[in-house]
Amino acid sequence: MAKALKTIRNLAGDTPIDAALILGSGLSDIGDLLTDKVTIPFADLKGFPQGGVSGHGKDLLIGQMGSKRLAILTGRQHYYEHGDPAAMRPALQTLAELGAKTLLLTNSAGSLDRDVPPGNLMLIADHINYAGINPLIGEETDARFVNMVDAYDPELRATTHAAAARLEIALKEGIYMWYSGPSFETPAEIRMAQTLGANAVGMSTVPEVILARFMGLKVWACSSITNMGAGMAQEVISHTQTKDVAKYGAEKLKRLIPALMEEI
Ligand code: HPA
């Protein structure tokens, strides 16, 4: 981690960043929003996502978004890649040490809410850790007992709704339920998720939120809805579809995130 920090500071300078943004499947071109950008391949950064999933980028970008200095991870590691829920811990710790006070997370997700069809965004208000594993297992300090009330910062959410209204982007809030993947859910699992109060399902984000709250970062997270949950529509759910449909959400996020960044 110290090595990655040194590499980043050598290439991008010492100016602290204000926030960090992680991009989900099919969303990596949101990185185009940065100006005065330095691009550092994850391969050069120990502890950053190696390997990877198609549809995800493989670079750390550091640059300006309006008046804010931002680090963007154009991809992430998922639990389903290797079974380690804490795989993102070194990268998140590095972003915190670079000065990030806020972590913005995006993902692609399946909707359980017929009012939020594919192509829409869903702001995450809370989550259900259905995968049942925790990235802080093995952490030995008392800091492991993280309070998860208001984990998704209420003020940032209110600011986002105001910005979305100004930009005329439809934005509902909902509860994101984490399934480990990589297989998609069964229709029975989707019906269970609905019964339990979830509004969207996905294979990421939750372990990063837990780690970020552990590190004292404010958290904001938004899903780009790429499909209805399994069994809810005729379409065949696939990763190709996730990548294809994510671009509609990406266009909205490209307008929403800069507006939000001006106000954090
Ligand atoms: N389930 C889980 N993860 C997803 C989905 C889904 O339906 N769509 C995009 N990512």
Side-chain angles (χ1 to χ4, degrees):
M1 201 180 74
K3 217 167 151 219
L5 199 58
K6 205 166 153 213
T7 306
I8 296 167
R9 289 202 168 125
N10 280 343
L11 294 168
D14 284 339
T15 313
I17 58 171
D18 297 297
L21 167 64
I22 298 182
L23 300 178
S25 295
L27 301 174
S28 55
D29 71 352
I30 294 174
D32 299 347
L33 292 174
L34 289 186
T35 55
D36 297 327
K37 180 167 63 184
V38 175
T39 302
I40 310 171
F42 290 153
D44 296 347
L45 297 172
K46 198 163 180 296
F48 277 65
Q50 308 293 330
V53 177
S54 73
H56 284 257
K58 293 182 175 165
D59 297 304
L60 171 70
L61 314 174
I62 298 196
Q64 286 297 127
M65 188 178 282
S67 63
K68 298 292 186 326
R69 191 162 171 79
L70 186 64
I72 298 184
L73 271 72
T74 59
R76 57 156 54 92
Q77 289 199 80
H78 307 77
Y79 174 70
Y80 64 70
E81 290 175 65
H82 32 55
D84 176 9
M88 290 293 285
R89 186 167 172 168
L92 293 177
Q93 191 68 50
T94 303
L95 296 168
E97 295 199 16
L98 287 169
K101 300 279 179 276
T102 305
L103 180 66
L104 306 150
L105 297 159
T106 62
N107 60 47
S108 288
S111 178
L112 308 186
D113 186 342
R114 295 205 185 273
D115 292 343
V116 189
N120 282 278
L121 301 179
M122 191 196 81
L123 190 61
I124 303 181
D126 201 347
H127 72 228
I128 298 173
N129 179 355
Y130 187 70
I133 39 210
N134 196 296
L136 294 175
I137 290 174
E139 166 64 32
E140 292 180 347
T141 67
D142 279 357
R144 64 186 149 187
F145 301 111
V146 179
N147 182 341
M148 295 298 289
V149 175
D150 288 338
Y152 298 82
D153 191 78
E155 252 180 71
L156 286 177
R157 279 157 45 206
T159 305
T160 308
H161 283 297
R166 275 199 311 277
L167 295 166
E168 299 185 353
I169 296 171
L171 188 67
K172 278 201 158 191
E173 275 197 353
I175 296 173
Y176 176 90
M177 191 159 180
W178 178 34
Y179 279 90
S180 75
S183 56
F184 285 104
E185 299 73 32
T186 64
E189 286 163 345
I190 291 297
R191 287 193 297 276
M192 180 196 70
Q194 287 173 314
T195 304
L196 294 180
N199 304 101
V201 288
M203 305 178 193
S204 67
T205 305
V206 167
E208 292 151 28
V209 172
I210 295 169
L211 287 166
R213 293 305 297 144
F214 167 72
M215 292 168 195
L217 301 177
K218 279 191 194 177
V219 169
W220 175 95
C222 191
S223 292
S224 161
I225 299 297
T226 54
N227 56 279
M228 297 308 293
M232 293 180 70
Q234 291 306 315
E235 67 199 356
V236 176
I237 299 172
S238 69
H239 188 55
T240 305
Q241 176 203 38
T242 298
K243 290 184 286 185
D244 286 350
V245 182
K247 60 177 176 280
Y248 301 105
E251 287 313 310
K252 293 175 182 169
L253 287 168
K254 276 182 166 174
R255 294 195 290 132
L256 189 58
I257 291 174
L260 176 65
M261 285 300 292
E262 280 316 299
E263 300 195 37
I264 68 171

